[in-house]
Amino acid sequence: MHTEGIEERTYEGSVQWFIRSECRGCGLRVGIDRTPSQTDRLVDRLMWTDEALHRLDRLPPYVASLFREEVEQDVRSRDERVVSYDALFRPRSGARIEWDSEAEHRLENVPAPVRAMAKIELERTAAERGHARITASLMEEVKARYFGMGAAKK
């Protein structure tokens, strides 16, 4: 059996993956619902869920290729085979990073096509510095570093 695709579904608050497979010999197609932890033998290679691919497709092409490589490298380093929607947004360092409410509000103002990448970069920067929180001042630093758009000088 060859895995053709994976859909993320939520049932009563828990995440389930609907895995679509096909036999290349006879053409038989099957699908099965499993929790993410029960998929090891059902997924035969690194795959993106339909939802994660949809999010990736919404990024500008010059960002999408870089983002895809980074996410896939992270998933492989964790010995996983599925890039889920949640995997797109987790910090690459594995650290748990909290967000100040002001920083969360400011993130909402970032254009949608680059918001996921901005969130990842902010969390990575905080983790590298040993910070447990994303603050508005950190956002200003990162914005200035990447875009030369820091807070206006007085």
Side-chain angles (χ1 to χ4, degrees):
M1 296 298 281
H2 177 75
T3 308
E4 293 294 318
I6 302 171
E7 297 172 34
E8 294 182 57
R9 299 176 176 179
T10 304
Y11 295 110
E12 299 175 5
S14 68
V15 176
Q16 296 277 313
W17 289 348
F18 181 73
I19 302 169
R20 301 182 311 271
S21 298
E22 178 180 8
C23 176
R24 290 195 169 162
C26 67
L28 175 70
R29 293 181 178 187
V30 297
I32 187 168
D33 277 320
R34 286 288 185 248
T35 62
S37 63
Q38 299 173 322
T39 59
D40 286 344
R41 294 185 191 143
L42 299 172
V43 179
D44 57 357
R45 65 192 184 286
L46 182 68
M47 293 198 64
W48 287 62
T49 64
D50 295 346
E51 291 72 15
L53 278 173
H54 175 72
R55 182 61 131 176
L56 182 71
D57 290 342
R58 294 176 64 201
L59 293 174
Y62 59 90
V63 173
S65 61
L66 298 171
F67 186 63
R68 182 180 194 120
E69 289 175 27
E70 182 176 310
V71 170
E72 288 179 352
Q73 181 180 3
D74 177 64
V75 168
R76 283 186 187 103
S77 72
R78 297 170 189 258
D79 291 327
E80 297 173 359
R81 290 187 181 170
V82 178
V83 177
S84 66
Y85 188 79
D86 287 340
L88 298 178
F89 300 106
R90 70 179 169 215
R92 301 294 171 241
S93 68
R96 176 77 175 134
I97 306 293
E98 300 295 326
W99 284 72
D100 284 348
S101 59
E102 182 184 354
E104 284 180 332
H105 178 70
R106 291 180 71 169
L107 186 65
E108 292 172 8
N109 295 328
V110 173
V114 296
R115 189 175 301 136
M117 194 68 169
K119 182 177 181 182
I120 288 169
E121 184 57 33
L122 285 161
E123 289 180 345
R124 178 188 7 231
T125 301
E128 286 173 356
R129 295 180 181 182
H131 300 289
R133 297 191 75 72
I134 305 291
T135 62
S137 63
L138 178 65
M139 292 180 85
E140 284 298 320
E141 282 183 48
V142 170
K143 185 165 71 169
R145 181 174 64 208
Y146 283 98
F147 302 108
M149 298 169 50
K153 306 277 191 256
K154 293 184 181 181

